[in-house]
Amino acid sequence: MSKSALIGCTRWLAACFAAMAFLWSPSTRAVVGTVDGAPAATLLLPYFETDLGDPNGTQTTVRISNASATAMLLHSTLYTDLGVPTLQFDTYLVGYDSVDIDLRLLFKGIVPQTASAGQDPTDLISPQGPLSQDINFASCSGGVLPPPGLPPTSSGVLPANTTWDVGTVAAIRAAHTGQASTLWSGQCGAVAHGDNIARGYMTIDTVNNCTMRYPSDPGYFAPGFSGDATMQNVLYGTSTTINRNFQTVYTENLVPVEASFNDPTTSTPGIQTFYGSQIGNTPDDGREALGTVWTARSMEGAVFNFQTKFVVWRDPGQAVSPFACGGALPPPFPLTTREVVAFDEEENLTPAANNLIPYATQLVDGEALSPYTFGIVRFDLGLADGTVRQGYVSSRILRLGARNATAFPGSLLMTAPQAQCFGANPQPAMCANIPPASYGVVRDILP
């Protein structure tokens, strides 16, 4: 093996071992406001793709698990790649239970069949194990659980009929491919990529009743957790993305978003929270914001023909509504970035343009952000005008021709609350109890 090939192989193995260490390192305790790997009250699938035409094309499956013996009710919401909610559905887990959500099946109108004790008295749908709790959620009766299909698209009230029909299937598929959808009287809610691939992201929350509300609807969140959503930090999970045409598989952890009644990062007015921009910028959701400054591994080309794609989820900063098809995207799109900088392994750097990550969620080609063979990319996902916005970054690295695929979670450098408060002199009152970023970490690195 040549020296250059040996160096490339060594770098590849080192990167793989580093990723494994990151994924398997134990956490001594959960810390709100740090986006750690602890169980959480909300899980984020930051990006999904489901090929609606090719059965061998890209598909995404999610596995959600309950870390406690207590039975849990979960509420899932799908969003387009512009952050427009399209549908919601409930699932029930007995203690220590898991459920798989296959998004390919979901876009065919098939959801996981689960039911609480009241709808499943003989334990045939969601059986109780020897260590688990199985309870009744009366609000799920009357055809809500187990679901014969996806609920209708109207929000705010529980429907009398949850029949999943072909018209609703077509409407959801159109909504996630940037086409005119009857969900919104012929309006659009996503980017039209023209490839018949449904894109978007998903959130999963712990709730105390079956509900047809979106997280942005009044009553889903309320002060003191008096709404539908709860603060039970018990969920964890993974997503798996498969493309049989390319024989690639990526598995990544779902992003945990912890909840807290009284942590200053989740309860202080003015400090960003995960759902805050959807609920009038209040902290009623009580969920930690994600990071605004991230780094992620990058490999392009070289002797092993690497290819990097970055998963980038961004908070639009407001609830996004459907819009007229065929015209310009609605505000606040396209989103700008404050600073995206690529580094090689000799500390050379190249800034990227600030318009290359314009949507609420996307898969970004690494070569568009970095000219280097090996290195990292540093993302500040705030806006170009300095506005702080939360986001999430990970990288998917493929060795072309060899079918070797690895997913690397991004490294968090600064949370959105830290970016809001960092450098304030004197600190505003809302920042008094917000912990600073790690010593030496700054938001801006370019002059």
Side-chain angles (χ1 to χ4, degrees):
M1 179 181 289
S2 67
K3 180 178 180 181
S4 60
L6 180 61
I7 292 173
C9 184
T10 302
R11 285 169 170 163
W12 171 251
L13 291 172
C16 290
F17 288 136
M20 293 172 61
F22 182 93
L23 291 171
W24 290 99
S25 293
S27 176
T28 56
R29 60 184 295 269
V31 180
V32 175
T34 60
V35 195
D36 50 10
T42 290
L43 298 176
L44 168 68
L45 170 64
Y47 180 78
F48 67 78
E49 287 185 353
T50 296
D51 194 319
L52 302 181
D54 184 355
N56 293 316
T58 303
Q59 66 184 79
T60 305
T61 301
V62 174
R63 164 156 285 205
I64 305 164
S65 299
N66 179 4
S68 77
T70 304
M72 291 290 155
L73 189 62
L74 317 182
H75 189 75
S76 299
T77 304
L78 256 65
Y79 298 82
T80 69
D81 57 2
L82 295 179
V84 182
T86 58
L87 63 92
Q88 66 284 303
F89 58 93
D90 296 312
T91 50
Y92 170 79
L93 296 180
V94 300
Y96 304 121
D97 198 2
S98 296
V99 63
D100 289 323
I101 302 174
D102 186 328
L103 292 178
R104 182 184 296 279
L105 296 180
L106 197 65
F107 281 99
K108 293 181 178 181
I110 303 171
V111 291
Q113 297 290 296
T114 63
S116 74
Q119 302 91 46
D120 183 27
T122 57
D123 246 9
L124 295 178
I125 301 171
S126 295
Q128 178 184 13
L131 302 177
S132 63
Q133 180 190 57
D134 187 12
I135 62 177
N136 178 41
F137 284 94
S139 59
C140 301
S141 299
V144 182
L145 288 182
L150 290 180
T153 56
S154 59
S155 65
V157 295
L158 290 173
N161 186 348
T162 58
T163 301
W164 179 235
D165 58 69
V166 294
T168 309
V169 171
I172 297 297
R173 291 161 72 97
H176 281 270
T177 52
Q179 308 302 308
S181 174
T182 56
L183 287 180
W184 311 303
S185 303
Q187 292 185 304
C188 288
V191 179
H193 295 276
D195 53 11
N196 203 27
I197 293 177
R199 294 173 172 85
Y201 64 93
M202 181 168 68
T203 58
I204 305 100
D205 304 311
T206 57
V207 292
N208 56 35
N209 59 276
C210 279
T211 176
M212 290 298 104
R213 295 186 179 99
Y214 292 129
S216 55
D217 286 337
Y220 190 84
F221 293 110
F225 288 91
S226 59
D228 298 330
T230 73
M231 50 106 36
Q232 295 163 293
N233 292 311
V234 298
L235 303 182
Y236 64 98
T238 58
S239 68
T240 301
T241 301
I242 301 173
N243 189 311
R244 291 183 175 85
N245 288 326
F246 294 104
Q247 299 180 25
T248 58
V249 179
Y250 297 96
T251 298
E252 302 176 76
N253 288 332
L254 298 178
V255 183
V257 183
E258 295 172 68
S260 174
F261 276 116
N262 52 17
D263 190 276
T265 62
T266 61
S267 61
T268 305
I271 295 297
Q272 290 188 23
T273 58
F274 182 73
Y275 284 113
S277 65
Q278 296 190 43
I279 55 174
N281 294 310
T282 70
D284 289 345
D285 62 317
R287 279 150 169 82
E288 62 185 351
L290 300 181
T292 194
V293 182
W294 297 83
T295 64
R297 191 75 166 94
S298 176
M299 299 180 183
E300 291 289 341
V303 66
F304 290 108
N305 202 11
F306 297 127
Q307 179 189 77
T308 298
K309 291 184 180 292
F310 296 104
V311 172
V312 185
W313 176 86
R314 306 186 65 186
D315 183 353
Q318 64 184 63
V320 182
S321 300
F323 52 91
C325 301
L329 296 179
F333 303 103
L335 300 174
T336 59
T337 51
R338 180 174 176 88
E339 193 176 81
V340 178
V341 182
F343 290 85
D344 70 4
E345 296 184 337
E346 295 179 351
E347 300 173 28
N348 297 303
L349 61 87
T350 299
N354 74 357
N355 60 351
L356 299 177
I357 314 173
Y359 312 131
T361 189
Q362 55 257 289
L363 202 58
V364 184
D365 285 336
E367 61 185 0
L369 303 182
S370 173
Y372 305 119
T373 301
F374 297 102
I376 62 169
V377 177
R378 189 182 192 271
F379 298 80
D380 186 330
L381 298 178
L383 303 184
D385 64 5
T387 301
V388 175
R389 292 281 172 78
Q390 64 175 331
Y392 178 80
V393 176
S394 66
S395 55
R396 297 175 177 179
I397 299 178
L398 174 65
R399 184 182 172 192
L400 297 175
R403 309 299 199 266
N404 292 341
T406 305
F408 294 79
S411 296
L412 172 64
L413 300 187
M414 185 176 293
T415 66
Q418 288 168 343
Q420 282 183 279
C421 297
F422 182 77
N425 187 22
Q427 284 189 329
M430 71 177 187
C431 294
N433 296 311
I434 303 301
S438 297
Y439 182 78
V441 175
V442 296
R443 186 179 181 193
D444 295 314
I445 58 172
L446 295 179

